[in-house]
Amino acid sequence: MNRYPLWKYLIIAVALIVSTLYTLPNFYGESPAVQVSTSRSAIAIDTALMDRVEKSLAAAKLPADGIYLDGNSLKVRFHDPDTQIKARDLIQQELGDNYIIALNLLSSSPAWFAKLKAHPMFLGLDLRGGVHFLLEVDMKAAVDKTIERYSGDIRRELRAKKIRYGTLKRVGDSLELGMRDAASLKAAEDVLARMLPNLTLKTDDTLNKLVISIKPEEFVKIQTDAVKQNITTLHNRVNELGVAEPVIQQQGANRIVVQLPGVQDTAKAKDILGRTATLEVRMVEDDPAKVAEAQSGLVPSGYELLDEATGRGGVQKILVKKDVELTGDNINDAQPGFDENGTAAVHINLDSAGASIFRQVTADNIGRRMAMILVEKGKAEVVTAPVIRSEIGGGRVQISGSMNPAEANDVALLLRAGSLAAPMNIIEERTVGPSLGKDNIEKGFNSTLYGFVAIAIFMLIYYRVFGMISAVSLAVNVLMLVALLSMLQATLTLPGIAAIALTLGMAIDANVLINERVREEVRNGVTPQAAIKAGYDHAWATILDSNITTLIAGLALLIFGSGPVRGFAVVHCLGILTSMFSAVMVSRGLVNLVYGSRRRVAKLSV
Amino acid sequence: MELLHFKKDIPFMSYGKLTTAISLLTFLLSVFFLFSKGLHFSVEFTGGTVMEVQYTQPVELNSVRSKLDGLKLGEATVQSLGTSRDVLIRLPNLKDRTSAQLSNQVLAALQADNTQVELRKVEFVGPQVGEELVTSGLTALVLVCAGIMLYLAIRFEWRFAVAAILANMHDVVIILGCFALFQWEFSLTVLAAVLAVLGYSVNESVVVFDRIRENFRKSGMRGKTTAQVIDNAITATMSRTIITHGSTEAMVLAMLVFGGPALHGFATALTIGIVFGIYSSVLVASPIALALGVKREHMIKPVKPKEEAVV
């Protein structure tokens, strides 16, 4: 009666094989690698680039262990960190500033593991070292900025249509426009309703007042856009750092998580994240005499020779004046799009102050070029330098030229990136040095190992053959849990390791319940085979009840916990599930193998 | 090998008065310490900055303190972290500086006279995060209790559910009381441990209750009183209780000894939780269930006689 049908053994065998397979990559360790990626959509990471990197490495006699093209990045593996650093510098030099070259660690497991999607466990920052920030976007500031922009737009529209208005003032989150009489009120309402469809207009006929408020859905859009734009900006800044696998995610309505694993120079990371890039509009000097003079090394005073990106990774020199006409503070928005001829363009929206300055500048400089310059890290780069064809008023600027849609997208992104949509505050920060991360892994692993060994020895002495079976199923539990964590790529943190340890300590409960029950049945004079069956059957109800109550607690932790608590809860919940399988099904399978096939069992070793 | 095999049932329920008195006393003491001393919350809850630095040479804490005092950052505390080379620095939140600037500034000051210092860890938490953690922590606690009670009420009986939760809360309050009494740091990981104890310790009660229910169904137990039935259930599960807890405790002790400072609070909370978990499931939960009047009829649904149609 204590025989499993073949399919049950097959399930156990398959579970064991799969678990072993997915656990294995964790034992291979990691080897140093260099990762090449780009933030510009105009630049492709392809086999041509792979070729270029391979050739330059071969030329410099830096042997690579392997080169892989992986989605949007190129990974080159090296034998030792020394070669890795040299190769990083070489590749950086070879490819230039348009690529992000980062140091990374790649799993050294054989390639066929990667094909099976068998990767090592994903380690959290507390285990591998790095920086974690939680930033909160100041939504009030984002709303303020938008309302300001709209009041500028309203003034401009009314002036353009020559409608005379009284005062425009802000009341709470809405604007009040005072008009002289009913006729002009009607006219203003018509114009604004047509030109600014995102606003809700309400007329107050007795006071000749127009109450203008932003539609609720527009408010939501402002907030989501503000967070999105800040995320884009952060991405750009993080790219400067050359982090291999940065995590930049929205959390809740107005928060952004930034995680930079493996960052060694944490001070620099904080510096760059907190930095503000600025956009400047300056005039270009195309006078051939002055340009020649500058290129010979004698830059005239009041001028600067800057780099201009020409797309496709190239760079050319351009001479610009030092006087700043306009800064990025006056840019409200920049979006990629198309001009009236259907070629790719970037549409820029300026605020009212910016609009009037821009009109003045363009009126004075028709036929000349103006440069949009992004100043970051004290280094200025010309994003684009279009020719002014006519006076541009109204604060809506369109840049078009020899751009393809992807480049237009990049330029719009760079222009937007210059400024944050709303200020952000760091509300949580965690920095873990790499040496502490290593210590944490070692200590966590050791304590789990020692605890496991202690339990296994005790079980062996106390329950003999049944104890041996319990210890084996506990080991299977660890195997399955690690495999599951590797498969799901759930982030393993130090509390997660603690959860593995605790789950093991608790999982043995099921086996103790079973073994005690079997002993009890034997003591009551039941035959050995019947005792095994009765022991497992009786214990099952208890095991189920106690695991479900534990699972309830685990799930609550998972839902309401944050940070370390969640890291604990994920592993804990998974561990409860695997322990039910291993403690009941696997151990019964083993017991059946040992005792089930014998016709006569005189005595159980329990 | 067998350690615990009792020939006769131990009359646990007759000690009911004594154990209830002990429980009540420890419980009240814990509550007293919680209110008089309060919990020593970590930065995660209170907001502030914590830095962990490691020197290559042993360092005098006073010299670190004097360097920090020079920066005028408010009330900074400096303590050693296990060895004389590892130092933990706590700083309050400052309005005019971000944590990034703060920690950079402190590190620069510590490295000023060419001392070899490595920054091992920085943690900064703004005040708004702490409040959220407290609310979500409490929500989790309440939901865990509600979920477990609901499950036990469906699976067993409401009297058992109430008894199990009371016994559990007793464990949790005692852990918190210990943390308040010794002013150990109460961090998020400790909170995770406390909630894990809640799930773990209810396990204990469930095993005993399960046995009680089974006993009620046994024909051999017909003539016995409820107290005797409970005594038998506890005695029968005693061996398992001790061994299971011993195993879990072995694991937790391994963490306490080898896990380093990061796991210390977690392991401490669990150690206390497990010790009191044994006690409470045996000597708190069952007497409460008994006091609430658990009877055989509650566990075994009487077969309903078919209602005859009224003509």
Side-chain angles (χ1 to χ4, degrees), chain B residues 89-105:
Chain B
I89 303 165
R90 272 171 229 276
L91 303 161
N93 278 337
L94 291 180
K95 279 216 174 85
D96 58 336
R97 253 166 293 196
T98 68
S99 74
Q101 291 169 327
L102 195 64
S103 53
N104 285 351
Q105 203 181 354

Side-chain angles (χ1 to χ4, degrees), chain A residues 134 136 255 266-267 270-271 426-436 439-440 443-444 446-448 450-452 454-455 458-459 461-464 494-495 498-502 504-506 508-509 512-513 516-517 519-520 523 538 541-542 544-550 552-553 556-557 560 562 564-565 568 572, chain B residues 1-5 44 52 54 99-100 103-104 118-126 128-129 132-133 136-137 139-140 143-144 147-148 151-152 155-156 188-189 191-192 195-196 198-200 202-203 206-207 210-211 213-214 218 236 239-240 243-244 247-248 250-252 254-255 258-263 266 270:
Chain A
L134 186 62
E136 192 169 61
R255 288 186 181 166
T266 50
K270 287 185 236 166
D271 228 40
I426 296 181
I427 54 170
E428 195 184 80
E429 181 202 324
R430 243 179 270 275
T431 306
V432 177
S435 61
L436 182 63
D439 279 10
N440 279 345
K443 285 185 175 143
N446 281 346
S447 46
T448 312
Y450 298 150
F452 179 86
I455 292 177
F458 172 78
M459 292 302 279
I461 296 173
Y462 198 75
Y463 293 115
R464 285 166 298 172
L494 187 62
I500 295 181
L502 184 65
L504 290 185
M506 290 167 71
I508 200 68
D509 177 42
V512 173
L513 273 170
E516 283 293 315
R517 251 323 167 54
R519 266 190 187 179
E520 211 183 313
R523 205 179 292 138
H538 278 137
T542 314
L544 191 67
D545 278 335
S546 65
N547 275 314
I548 286 179
T549 43
T550 317
I552 290 174
L557 280 182
F560 291 97
S562 60
V565 177
F568 171 82
H572 191 49
Chain B
M1 189 173 114
E2 249 177 301
L3 289 175
L4 303 145
H5 176 52
E44 289 151 327
E52 216 181 291
Q54 191 177 52
S99 74
S103 53
N104 285 351
E118 189 199 347
L119 183 65
R120 297 262 280 178
K121 193 173 97 176
V122 179
E123 251 182 67
F124 158 78
V125 180
Q128 60 272 65
V129 183
E132 279 174 26
L133 286 178
S136 67
T139 327
L143 268 162
V144 170
I148 290 174
Y151 181 77
L152 291 183
R155 195 82 172 121
F156 295 91
L188 262 183
T189 1
L191 179 71
L195 291 169
L198 208 56
Y200 177 72
V202 84
N203 240 340
V206 167
V207 171
D210 224 52
R211 207 46 186 259
R213 177 169 61 184
E214 199 185 314
K218 272 187 196 157
S239 169
R240 172 258 157 203
I243 292 166
T244 300
S247 305
T248 319
M251 223 26 163
V252 173
M255 268 193 264
F258 305 108
L263 287 177
F266 181 83
L270 277 173

